[in-house]
Amino acid sequence: MPFAAACPKSAPDPHSAPDPSADPPDRRGRPRPPARRRAADAAAGFVALTGAGFRRYATYRQAMVAGLFTNIVFGAMLASIMLGVAADGRTPGGYSREQLVAFVWVGQGLLNVVYTWGWRELADRVRSGDVTADLLRPVDPLTSYAAADLGRAGQAVLGRWIAPVVVGVAFYDIYVPHRPSTYVLFVVSVVLATLVSFGGRYLVNLSAFWLLDVRGPVALWMLAGALLSGSFLPMRFLPEWVQWLLWCGTPFPSIFQIPLDVAVERTDGALSATTVLLQLVWVIVLFLACRAVQRRAVRRLVVQGG
Amino acid sequence: MTMPPHDAVIHAAGLRKDFTVKRKTGRLRRTAQSVSAVDGVDLTITTGETVGYIGPNGAGKSTTLKMMTGILTPTGGALTVCGLEPVPRRKQLARRIGVVFGQRSQLWWDLPLRESFRLLRHVYSVPAADHAHRLETCRRMLDLDAFLDTPVRQLSLGQRMRGEITAALLHGPEVLFLDEPTIGLDVVSKHALRAFLADLGARGDVTIVLTTHDLADIERLCPRLVVVDHGRVVHDGTLAALHERYGSRRRVVVDLDRPYDDLPHVPGVKVDRVEDDGHRVVFALDGVPAGGLIARLAQLGGLRDVAVQEPDIEEVVARLYTTEPAEPAEPAEPAVPA
Ligand SMILES: Nc1ncnc2c1ncn2[C@@H]1O[C@H](COP(=O)(O)OP(=O)(O)OP(=O)(O)O)[C@@H](O)[C@H]1O
Ligand SMILES: [Mg+2]
């Protein structure tokens, strides 16, 4: 059977009015679909790529179990420190004992959801030249990597986040949020935190187009993330002027501190919502930066390897 | 710049790519040097052609393909593919071309092949029915069923390559670029892949541009052959034209009981070489059939064995590669006697 017959060309959409701004049809007479269809197609593509990210990380079961064990041991250690710090009714950083315990146990799994560790996937692909495959697709790599990262985060919620929270609830006197809006705001905040973290990691990885070896920048990003995001100690333990500097001048508190403050209801609802808005600003800033840098990178693009 | 002919899918005029490489020239000093990987390529490929792109290592084949697919910015010259300038229109072009770089994978490493194909359908927004039809054809012709559910990282090279070709075809591209698609494949896999591509090419539906070091690929698949060396086109035409141009001849190898005192003279036949103290004589045929020569030899007697050798493409190409950079060839120029 001829290949051509086996591959019928898509029929032109009878409902689409000729759009003068649309691209000319290609040689096979396939017209460009209307804008609404294109948007729906793009959304379907994004969802499919997110699903692929989710399934991809689901294949690493052993790593998940080992990581989970570490999270729980660390969580127990941190929790005992926090209980000491907040003994005798002290409220360091304005947190109660129960809030600090919640900060620890919600935070342990969240580290893996937002992913504050070193991520070099894009840089490695630039170095090896495999980035070719990403660039040969009709989807912007920034979009497809973001989709995959959200899928990865979703997998981490199931595999890494739930268990430590259950441990905290089962064995500790833990703060339970009482405002219903907190639950919704927390979900939004975690998605935004993942995107902030992703944007920063992607930006650092883009330096591979110039440097080829990105271990330095990645290590720097990781270190800054560990110190400034609130994953070692809540940022609110620091002097107020330092906090202002970090919250507004760096994306790091948006990656970790903000979703946790939302979860433990450290501030009232309005202020919590404002901090989530700050996260959104960071997402926009970082994605715009990624786009600008990527455009320059691709323009001077040298794909490595024959 | 010349205007591309109306049926040109790919049109390159004076296409160039220089790489800047830094060399250590002193203890601390490094000087930048410009390497010309592609040095003024003129090429027009029309719809439905299958073109083989060959040349020695480092000739600039991959570099040219990277520019044509929009992932490498040319240093100079003009280039259009499917009427688009590749780098600025990379995303639009991606929907209309299929690309396989032999040493790289475009599949999702951790996911089963089937899953990669499903994802590609969404990434390219291919209508479900079209996708199903194309996948079905490839499954049948490339025997994918045995490993459709295997994660890509567990596939053998030959299996993965069949997957890559399928992945490149699922969105119905107008042009298929293949950079060394048969590299590392065993004889059987090569045959299967060639049969598939020959079939695809014969339908004239897809324009195919492929690079290879395996000249059997060219003999089987490519009516048109572009030879590049040092970034320039040194031959553009049919395989037969190449043979003619470089004076490759059919040969008759004759084994004798005892050496001749006088070698026979037959019109259109030259003595190529004499080996083994005259016990073996190799004649080169200048476009004449072997019959006349063999009849003459039979008259002389003492004939032990006769073999007729077809012109060897490897030999021609080896000769082409080892000669110093030639002047760029005019496309389809008349044969030049060697
Ligand atoms: N990223 C790069 N930086 C510097 N020089 C490069 C780069 N890529 C290729 N080159 C040079 O450009 C020339 C052409 O390389 P190219 O990969 O196009 O060759 P090729 O014809 O594909 O060879 P092969 O048959 O070995 O695959 C070579 O001299 C190579 O060293
Ligand atoms: Mg190559």
Side-chain angles (χ1 to χ4, degrees):
Chain A
M1 181 171 43
F3 200 85
C7 308
K9 287 132 202 171
S10 50
D13 186 347
H15 305 297
S16 66
D19 174 3
S21 69
D23 273 11
D26 62 26
R27 274 191 195 283
R28 305 206 164 161
R30 291 181 291 207
R32 240 183 128 186
R36 215 174 53 218
R37 255 263 305 286
R38 286 211 301 275
D41 284 346
F46 193 88
V47 170
L49 287 166
T50 306
F54 184 91
R55 281 188 295 280
R56 178 182 159 197
Y57 283 88
T59 56
Y60 301 121
R61 290 262 157 72
Q62 279 173 339
M64 190 203 80
V65 171
L68 207 52
F69 179 75
T70 316
N71 285 144
I72 290 172
V73 171
F74 257 81
M77 274 166 51
L78 269 177
S80 64
I81 293 172
M82 292 301 177
L83 287 174
V85 171
D88 314 324
R90 272 175 301 196
T91 57
Y95 298 99
S96 70
R97 267 171 70 104
E98 292 77 15
Q99 278 176 318
L100 278 178
V101 168
F103 195 98
V104 168
W105 285 111
V106 175
Q108 274 305 304
L110 199 64
L111 283 173
N112 304 293
V113 176
V114 299
Y115 210 82
T116 52
W117 320 118
W119 180 80
R120 287 218 305 263
E121 193 177 324
L122 175 66
D124 286 344
R125 285 174 71 82
V126 171
R127 198 180 144 77
S128 69
D130 285 341
V131 72
T132 329
D134 303 327
L135 292 168
L136 286 171
R137 300 221 168 99
V139 179
D140 191 315
L142 179 60
T143 312
S144 54
Y145 276 83
D149 201 61
L150 286 177
R152 178 204 56 71
Q155 176 60 40
V157 167
L158 296 188
R160 303 289 294 272
W161 183 74
I162 291 177
V165 171
V166 168
V167 169
V169 171
F171 299 104
Y172 290 80
D173 192 7
I174 200 169
Y175 182 86
V176 179
H178 57 267
R179 295 197 297 260
S181 65
T182 293
Y183 295 88
V184 180
L185 206 57
F186 178 66
V187 172
V188 175
S189 180
V190 169
V191 171
L192 290 174
T194 305
L195 288 174
V196 173
S197 158
F198 166 78
R201 284 180 275 130
Y202 195 89
L203 198 57
V204 171
N205 272 247
L206 280 177
S207 65
F209 281 103
W210 286 268
L211 298 178
L212 287 189
D213 188 356
V214 294
R215 275 173 299 186
V218 168
L220 214 62
W221 171 264
M222 247 174 87
L223 186 70
L227 295 178
L228 309 178
S229 69
S231 61
F232 273 1
L233 77 169
M235 291 288 97
R236 289 183 191 274
F237 288 9
L238 298 174
E240 192 158 331
W241 66 271
V242 180
Q243 285 188 45
W244 274 105
L245 208 69
L246 292 179
W247 285 58
C248 298
T250 78
F252 299 107
S254 294
I255 294 174
F256 200 71
Q257 178 82 36
I258 291 180
L260 287 179
D261 276 356
V262 168
V264 305
E265 295 180 337
R266 168 67 183 69
T267 56
D268 64 45
L271 195 52
S272 289
T274 311
T275 58
V276 173
L277 223 56
L278 176 66
Q279 287 183 296
L280 183 63
V281 170
W282 273 111
V283 170
I284 293 168
V285 167
L286 284 170
F287 272 67
L288 286 178
C290 284
R291 236 186 44 187
V293 173
Q294 180 173 281
R295 192 173 302 150
R296 300 203 64 167
V298 171
R299 206 181 302 146
R300 67 178 293 287
L301 180 66
V302 173
V303 172
Q304 303 295 318
Chain B
M1 192 194 116
T2 52
M3 282 305 289
H6 72 282
D7 57 345
V9 193
I10 299 172
H11 183 75
L15 185 64
R16 304 172 44 78
K17 179 71 201 182
D18 301 330
F19 287 110
T20 312
V21 281
K22 298 230 169 69
R23 285 241 166 67
K24 248 185 128 151
T25 46
R27 193 175 300 176
L28 292 171
R29 201 178 317 152
R30 298 213 296 167
T31 46
Q33 220 175 34
S34 182
V35 176
S36 215
V38 174
D39 190 11
V41 165
D42 300 312
L43 194 64
T44 303
I45 296 175
T46 52
T47 309
E49 274 193 287
T50 298
V51 177
Y53 215 74
I54 66 167
N57 290 127
K61 304 181 295 296
S62 298
T63 305
T64 306
L65 251 57
K66 284 174 188 169
M67 290 192 281
M68 288 177 174
T69 51
I71 53 172
L72 189 64
T73 315
T75 311
L79 176 66
T80 54
V81 177
C82 299
L84 302 171
E85 208 184 317
V87 172
R89 306 291 299 275
R90 180 166 46 82
K91 275 197 282 179
Q92 288 97 319
L93 186 61
R95 291 188 188 280
R96 299 172 59 172
I97 61 173
V99 188
V100 175
F101 283 108
Q103 287 105 314
R104 312 200 179 293
S105 181
Q106 58 184 317
L107 304 164
W108 281 261
W109 205 238
D110 296 302
L111 299 177
L113 205 50
R114 189 192 295 279
E115 192 88 345
S116 278
F117 294 156
R118 200 184 60 83
L119 270 170
L120 285 172
R121 172 169 109 67
H122 291 293
V123 168
Y124 286 90
S125 321
V126 182
D130 292 1
H131 178 85
H133 271 103
R134 292 181 190 133
L135 183 55
E136 178 54 34
T137 309
C138 290
R139 270 172 66 172
R140 198 157 28 77
M141 296 185 66
L142 289 169
D143 269 330
L144 303 178
D145 285 341
F147 48 89
L148 261 183
D149 292 303
T150 312
V152 172
R153 64 183 137 82
Q154 292 171 11
L155 296 180
S156 80
L157 180 63
Q159 292 169 335
R160 183 171 67 75
M161 194 52 70
R162 283 183 268 168
E164 301 280 356
I165 303 252
T166 304
L169 286 171
L170 285 176
H171 56 285
E174 293 160 59
V175 192
L176 183 61
F177 292 97
L178 305 166
D179 194 6
E180 304 193 32
T182 53
I183 192 168
L185 300 191
D186 69 30
V187 182
V188 179
S189 305
K190 273 187 189 177
H191 272 294
L193 195 55
R194 275 179 207 140
F196 177 77
L197 292 175
D199 212 43
L200 191 64
R203 281 164 195 153
D205 201 32
V206 183
T207 307
I208 303 176
V209 180
L210 72 91
T211 79
T212 185
H213 287 296
D214 189 336
L215 296 169
D217 290 346
I218 301 287
E219 284 185 301
R220 176 85 168 81
L221 295 173
C222 306
R224 179 172 166 199
L225 175 66
V226 175
V227 187
V228 286
D229 194 8
H230 293 91
R232 293 171 176 218
V233 175
V234 294
H235 175 84
D236 182 351
T238 60
L239 202 55
L242 186 70
H243 282 307
E244 210 169 320
R245 178 171 166 196
Y246 285 88
S248 44
R249 309 269 188 270
R250 293 174 79 207
R251 289 193 168 72
V252 179
V253 182
V254 180
D255 286 326
L256 302 166
D257 287 329
R258 59 190 158 67
Y260 287 131
D261 303 326
D262 266 329
L263 290 167
H265 286 284
V266 178
V269 178
K270 279 189 300 212
V271 176
D272 189 51
R273 54 185 189 270
V274 180
E275 293 171 351
D276 202 9
D277 294 330
H279 283 95
R280 168 173 286 186
V281 183
V282 181
F283 296 93
L285 302 178
D286 212 358
V288 297
L293 174 65
I294 294 171
R296 178 87 180 84
L297 293 171
Q299 277 176 3
L300 289 173
L303 200 57
R304 187 185 297 163
D305 209 350
V306 178
V308 179
Q309 289 178 342
E310 293 303 314
D312 183 9
I313 180 177
E314 306 261 351
E315 190 189 314
V316 181
V317 169
R319 199 145 20 115
L320 202 54
Y321 289 180
T322 45
T323 48
E324 272 315 287
E327 284 305 300
E330 291 297 315
E333 74 180 342
V336 180

